[in-house]
Structure formats: structure tokens, C-alpha cells
Amino acid sequence: DAKTTQPPSMDCAEGRAANLPCNHSTISGNEYVYWYRQIHSQGPQYIIHGLKNNETNEMASLIITEDRKSSTLILPHATLRDTAVYYCIVRVPEKGTSYGKLTFGQGTILTVHP
Amino acid sequence: KAGVTQTPRYLIKTRGQQVTLSCSPISGHRSVSWYQQTPGQGLQFLFEYFSETQRNKGNFPGRFSGRQFSNSRSEMNVSTLELGDSALYLCASSLSRDRGPDTQYFGPGTRLTVL
């Protein structure tokens, strides 16, 4: 499976953009980048995903480099409620199934402060 | 549309007992996956069910089992509970499309404490 590397923690001021990096240098052409977040003791929440192109939805933007070896999740105006663990996951296709399981790493603890 | 629901939300058992956890997926979702989250091991995949069949399995002992019903609802069972089974058990459902990745949506989890 393509592995991901994320910084263990980051801080962000409320109202500013939070830019969370993820390195996935061994990613293959048909593997997707997914982002989830988990607020303390709750179930992980889906944020966004992409393959090659940059993506944006109501929660965040995902910027994927041209070589696909890294990506950045952008929360444009962070609030205190965005404090959570953010997981960058590479989805790998599995023979005979869809894209199978999610393999979670340690993620990045994002702390948004006033 | 209602999200993934899990019951019960909290459970306390003693060593040696067995436990059954339930998951109701989002309406129309055909795949249900289970994950275990502990402070030491993080979030780990247990198994996935699709059309009442186990489609994928993680690296857990046979004490962990599951099943899926015709309405896509799923249960997981842990027999002969050990202290190390104390964890947050998460269920996720997805449409399971034939092509491309399917986004998994998680429930709130069941917090199991084994004494």
C-alpha cells in the first residue's frame, strides 16, 4: 500500500487558513488521496478526495502536486471546531473488490487557537 | 438522509464474555466495514461485508467475527473478551460502486470497556 507521511501536529489561528501537508511519494496512477478528520472520540468524518486534479467542496480544498507525490488539505477559514486529527489516506484498488479498506496512519493533530 | 447508526454506544463487559455490536448503514449503502480504534494501535480495519458476504478481512484473531443481513445491517461479535479488546469500534458504510473508490461514512462508534 502507498504510505503517507504527515506532520504529527500543527497549530492554526482562528480565521486563518490551515494548510495540512501529506507526502505520498510511492502513490500509483490509480490510487486516490482521501482526507478524513476525527474529533475526539467521534467517528471519522469524510472531508474530500482526489486523484489528479485539485478538488474543492464546502469543507475544504485539496491540492495535489503534478507528480502526485504530495498533497495539501486547505481549510480556508479555520474555526475552533476544526480542531481534530486529520488523516491523509491513499486508497488502493484491490482485486475483485472496490477500493477496499481505509488504512489510517497517525494523522496530524490540528489545534486551532483563538 | 440518516447517517450510520451504531448500537449500543457504550458497553461494559468482563473478561471471557462475548459481545455483539450492531450497525445500520446509510440507506442504499451496500457495504459495511468495521474498524477498531485503540490508543496504542490507532484505527485498524477489521472486516468488510458486501451482499451478506465477507469481502475483506484484517489481521485480527478468529474471536472477531461479523455478518451482514439482507437489509445491509451488520453485526460484529467478539467472543472470549480480553482486556485488550477495550476499544472504540467503528462501523462505516459505502455505496460500493463497481468502478472507482467508494467513500466510507462512519458512525459514532461503540465504546467497549472490558473489565
Side-chain angles (χ1 to χ4, degrees):
Chain A
D1 290 357
K3 297 192 185 304
T4 62
T5 303
Q6 298 179 253
S9 64
M10 293 183 66
D11 287 334
C12 179
E14 189 176 22
R16 304 297 292 270
N19 298 288
L20 291 91
C22 179
N23 181 287
H24 32 78
S25 58
T26 61
I27 195 170
S28 296
N30 59 352
E31 296 174 350
Y32 286 72
V33 179
Y34 268 73
W35 284 83
Y36 281 79
R37 73 180 182 183
Q38 186 175 27
I39 297 169
H40 182 64
S41 292
Q42 297 181 19
Q45 178 187 24
Y46 165 75
I47 301 173
I48 199 167
H49 74 276
L51 181 63
K52 299 179 186 177
N53 302 319
N54 299 337
E55 302 288 344
T56 295
N57 62 20
E58 64 280 1
M59 287 185 69
S61 294
L62 175 60
I63 308 298
I64 302 175
T65 58
E66 194 169 339
D67 64 6
R68 302 188 69 237
K69 292 181 184 297
S70 66
S71 60
T72 301
L73 177 74
I74 301 172
L75 307 178
H77 305 286
T79 71
L80 298 179
R81 287 178 294 181
D82 292 322
T83 292
V85 180
Y86 287 76
Y87 296 99
C88 171
I89 299 166
V90 171
R91 297 292 300 279
V92 179
E94 299 179 10
K95 184 179 179 181
T97 72
S98 61
Y99 272 63
K101 62 183 181 291
L102 293 167
T103 301
F104 288 84
Q106 296 305 307
T108 295
I109 301 172
L110 174 68
T111 302
V112 181
H113 51 85
Chain B
K1 189 179 281 190
V4 177
T5 58
Q6 293 187 244
T7 57
R9 293 292 312 279
Y10 302 90
L11 206 49
I12 299 175
K13 293 286 188 179
T14 56
R15 280 181 297 174
Q17 288 187 309
Q18 75 166 15
V19 66
T20 299
L21 312 181
S22 180
C23 172
S24 292
I26 292 171
S27 177
H29 284 193
R30 301 185 296 168
S31 170
V32 174
S33 298
W34 289 88
Y35 295 81
Q36 180 197 64
Q37 185 171 27
T38 60
Q41 299 299 319
L43 265 157
Q44 293 186 291
F45 172 76
L46 279 158
F47 28 66
E48 179 197 8
Y49 285 86
F50 174 73
S51 291
E52 303 178 60
T53 300
Q54 188 179 89
R55 185 161 71 173
N56 202 354
K57 189 178 189 304
N59 188 26
F60 278 83
R63 299 186 297 106
F64 292 82
S65 63
R67 60 177 175 169
Q68 186 180 36
F69 302 94
S70 58
N71 62 358
S72 295
R73 191 177 69 85
S74 177
E75 290 180 347
M76 69 161 284
N77 184 79
V78 187
S79 62
T80 318
L81 283 166
E82 300 177 359
L83 295 179
D85 297 333
S86 294
L88 181 66
Y89 290 88
L90 293 155
C91 165
S93 76
S94 62
L95 280 169
S96 192
R97 300 180 302 177
D98 292 332
R99 287 190 176 187
D102 54 326
T103 297
Q104 295 187 12
Y105 296 91
F106 285 81
T110 294
R111 171 73 63 184
L112 172 65
T113 301
V114 182
L115 302 176

